[in-house]
Amino acid sequence: WKRRIRPRQPGSCWSCWVMAEPIALQVNGESCQASAGLSLQQLLVELGYEPRLVVVEFNGAIVPRSQWLDQPVAAGDRLEVVTIVGGG
């Protein structure tokens, strides 16, 4: 089973309050601002996700977790963040 999860505060992130140049992107279909110059993994942390618990579709393609630190995030990027939910 898959379930979409959202940042703790949709459309905002903690460090955006102190960064001078946020970028606009889309996370799970919602507009969001984030700090410029982040890798995909850094962005996930900034948005309040636990990276080891999610799978990310980045601009239409699944990005292997091993590439997250090397994947830069830029204005206009689109992410779908999903997690596998266990249970019975």
Side-chain angles (χ1 to χ4, degrees):
W1 295 88
K2 294 183 181 179
R3 177 177 63 102
R4 290 179 193 225
I5 56 176
R6 299 177 186 215
R8 293 180 185 159
Q9 296 177 327
S12 66
C13 51
W14 299 294
S15 60
C16 290
W17 296 94
V18 295
M19 297 302 291
E21 297 182 38
I23 59 169
L25 48 102
Q26 202 172 64
V27 179
N28 293 340
E30 295 183 16
S31 296
C32 179
Q33 289 192 342
S35 302
L38 298 178
S39 70
L40 179 55
Q41 183 161 334
Q42 291 168 323
L43 174 68
L44 292 169
V45 171
E46 181 171 295
L47 294 176
Y49 291 105
E50 176 58 54
R52 64 185 180 84
L53 300 177
V54 299
V55 175
V56 179
E57 180 183 291
F58 184 77
N59 293 328
I62 300 294
V63 179
R65 186 172 278 110
S66 62
Q67 296 176 10
W68 288 3
L69 281 173
D70 298 323
Q71 177 61 59
V73 177
D77 284 341
R78 296 179 334 270
L79 287 81
E80 291 291 326
V81 183
V82 296
T83 187
I84 298 172
V85 178

